[in-house]
Amino acid sequence: MKYYMIPVFLLCGLFAIAQGTRLEKDYSSVSDKVIEWRRDIHQYPELGNREFRTAEKIAKHLRSLDIEVETGVAHTGVVGLLKGSKPGKVIALRADIDALPVTERNDLPFKSTITSEFQGEKVGVMHACGHDTHTAILMGVAEVLSKNRNAIKGTVKFIFQPSEEGPPEGEEGGALLMVKEGVMENPKVDAIFGLHINSQTPVGVIRYKSGGTMAAAQSFTINVRGKQSHGSQPWSGIDPILISAKIIDGLQTIISREVNLTNEAAVITVGKIKSGVRFNIIPESAEMIGTIRTLDYDMKDHINKRMQEMVPAIAQAYGGDATIEIRDATDITYNDPDLVAQMLPTLQKAAGAENVQTQKAITGAEDFSYFQREAPGFFFFLGGMAPGTTESFPHHTPDFKIDDSGLLLGVRALTQMTFDYLNK
C-alpha cells in the first residue's frame, strides 16, 4: 500500500477556500433578514434604557441560534456568548440599540410614528443615528458565526448596548454601566470591535483612523452671580449677563490661543444661557451650559484646568462671582494602533483595498470608548449613503436616511474580523 503526503500549506489553502464558500452562502442567506430586522427596528424605535421591544427581539433571535443569552444588562442590554469548537481568545462585538427624541420627516414605508416622553415632554422617536442598522448587522453576524462555530477558535461575546445617546436624567446607563456590571469580564475580553454607519459616506466604503478617532465629550455648567437692579440704573447693580458674555469670550481664547490645534482638534461650546425675567431688570444670576470636545488627554487636562481658573477670575474682575462644574460624558474613542494594523488586511479583504480609507478624527463622541478602556478596541465607519446620491442628511436630524444596501458589508467585515482575530 502506498501513502501520499499532502503538504500542510495545501490543506490549509483548501480549508480556507471551503470556509470562504460556506461564508458566502451564509451571507446570502442572511442578507434579506438583516434588512427586514433593520426596518422593523426602525419603525418601532425606543429611547435609552427603555428598549424593551428591541431587547426582546434580539434575545429571541440569539436563543434561536443556540447562543447563551443574558438580558437586563445595564437595564435593557442583551449579551450573547458563542463558544467555538476550540479554546482561545475572547472577542467582543458591540452594537448600540437606542433611538433619539427626533420626529422623523422621511417618507418611508417603515417610517417611525412612535412618540414617547423625554425630560417631561412628549416627543417623536426616531433612529436618527443608525443604531437600528448596527443592531441588525450584529444580529446577522451572530447568525453567520453560529452556523460556523466549529471553525471558531475561542469565544465571541455579542454586546447589544442600550442608551448610547445617554441615559435619562437621574439614571445610569450605556457602556459605562455595562462595564460597571462586568460585561468585559467572565470571560475576560481580549479585544473589542464596533462600527458606526455614516449617512455621508458612500455605500461600500469603510473609513477608519488609528489612535484617537472620536472625541472625549464633557458637559459643563457655569453659574454666575451678580446684583439685581433696575435696567435704567446699571451702575447700581452687577450685571451677570455682561459677565456671562465676557466668560464666553474668554473661554474661546483657550481654544484659539492656548491649545495646539495642529496636533488635535478641540471645541468649547456654550449651548444654552438662561437669565432674567423682564426687559428692564438686570437680573441677579445667570446659568450657562455647554460641551467640551477633546482628542488628546493632555489637551483635555489643560482645557479643564484653564476653564476652572478663568471662569471665577473673569467674574471677579467685573464685581461678581461664578462657579463651574465639569462632568465627563464619554472618553476618547481610541483605536489601538497595533490592533488596527493587525485587522486592516481583513477590512481590505471584506471591502476591497480601494474602499478602505483613512479619515481625520471627528469631534463627535461615542461611549464605545469605555469598552476600549478595558481592552484594545477598533471602531470604524461604514458607508450608508445610497449610490448616485447628491444630497445626504447629517445624523441626529429628522431627514436622516440610510441605504440598506450597505448593511451586508458590515456583516462581512465584523464576521471576517472575528475569524481572523481568533484563528490567526
Side-chain angles (χ1 to χ4, degrees), residues 39-70:
R39 293 184 176 186
D40 177 75
I41 295 167
H42 186 92
Q43 191 169 4
Y44 300 101
E46 296 167 299
L47 296 176
N49 284 2
R50 306 291 185 269
E51 308 95 329
F52 303 111
R53 182 185 184 274
T54 308
E56 184 178 357
K57 185 180 186 72
I58 294 164
K60 181 179 179 181
H61 176 63
L62 296 183
R63 291 190 180 105
S64 75
L65 304 174
D66 196 26
I67 291 175
E68 181 183 330
V69 176
E70 182 181 2

Side-chain angles (χ1 to χ4, degrees), residues 5-304:
M5 299 296 291
I6 301 177
V8 172
F9 74 86
L10 182 58
L11 286 174
C12 292
L14 292 172
F15 176 78
I17 293 171
Q19 183 188 0
T21 302
R22 286 197 303 271
L23 285 176
E24 286 303 318
K25 291 181 179 178
D26 292 335
Y27 293 143
S28 295
S29 69
V30 83
S31 179
D32 289 342
K33 295 180 185 179
V34 170
I35 293 173
E36 180 185 343
W37 294 329
R38 181 258 162 161
R39 293 184 176 186
D40 177 75
I41 295 167
H42 186 92
Q43 191 169 4
Y44 300 101
E46 296 167 299
L47 296 176
N49 284 2
R50 306 291 185 269
E51 308 95 329
F52 303 111
R53 182 185 184 274
T54 308
E56 184 178 357
K57 185 180 186 72
I58 294 164
K60 181 179 179 181
H61 176 63
L62 296 183
R63 291 190 180 105
S64 75
L65 304 174
D66 196 26
I67 291 175
E68 181 183 330
V69 176
E70 182 181 2
T71 59
V73 184
H75 299 298
T76 47
V78 179
V79 178
L81 203 65
L82 174 65
K83 296 179 181 178
S85 60
K86 297 179 181 179
K89 291 186 175 182
V90 179
I91 188 174
L93 306 174
R94 175 271 205 168
D96 37 13
I97 68 175
D98 58 321
L100 285 159
V102 175
T103 300
E104 184 161 11
R105 206 154 48 199
N106 290 313
D107 185 20
L108 298 170
F110 51 93
K111 171 183 176 179
S112 168
T113 58
I114 298 296
T115 59
S116 186
E117 185 176 295
F118 180 74
Q119 294 183 350
E121 295 185 21
K122 186 177 181 180
V123 295
V125 184
M126 177 190 175
H127 272 292
C129 200
H131 296 186
D132 52 339
T133 68
H134 307 164
T135 303
I137 286 170
L138 192 54
M139 289 171 68
V141 173
E143 181 161 327
V144 173
L145 290 177
S146 70
K147 291 180 179 180
N148 294 273
R149 67 182 75 207
N150 290 337
I152 296 174
K153 181 182 177 182
T155 301
V156 185
K157 186 176 285 190
F158 302 96
I159 300 175
F160 292 88
Q161 178 210 312
S163 201
E164 190 279 328
E165 300 290 355
E169 192 171 344
E171 297 183 19
E172 290 185 279
L176 191 59
L177 184 56
M178 289 194 110
V179 170
K180 184 178 177 180
E181 292 184 359
V183 75
M184 298 293 281
E185 305 293 333
N186 304 316
K188 184 173 177 60
V189 172
D190 293 297
I192 184 166
F193 299 107
L195 59 76
H196 205 300
I197 201 83
N198 187 268
S199 65
Q200 297 173 309
T201 298
V203 162
V205 172
I206 288 174
R207 290 178 176 158
Y208 74 97
K209 181 182 179 296
S210 185
T213 187
M214 297 185 76
Q218 296 176 289
S219 63
F220 63 86
T221 300
I222 297 172
N223 284 294
V224 180
R225 287 174 295 278
K227 180 182 177 183
Q228 189 163 319
S229 71
H230 197 289
S232 66
Q233 298 176 323
W235 52 85
S236 65
I238 297 172
D239 190 347
I241 295 177
L242 172 66
I243 294 172
S244 297
K246 298 297 183 181
I247 289 174
I248 293 170
D249 189 44
L251 293 179
Q252 295 311 315
T253 67
I254 300 175
I255 299 298
S256 67
R257 291 295 181 268
E258 295 191 27
V259 296
N260 185 355
L261 298 180
T262 63
N263 182 20
E264 292 287 3
V267 173
I268 300 174
T269 293
V270 175
K272 180 180 178 181
I273 179 168
K274 181 180 179 181
S275 184
V277 293
R278 187 173 166 83
F279 73 97
N280 61 350
I281 298 175
I282 291 176
E284 192 168 65
S285 63
E287 180 187 64
M288 292 180 282
I289 58 175
T291 187
I292 309 162
R293 303 296 172 105
T294 49
L295 287 148
D296 177 272
Y297 288 109
D298 290 338
M299 289 170 68
K300 177 183 175 182
D301 291 343
H302 175 77
I303 290 170
N304 285 190

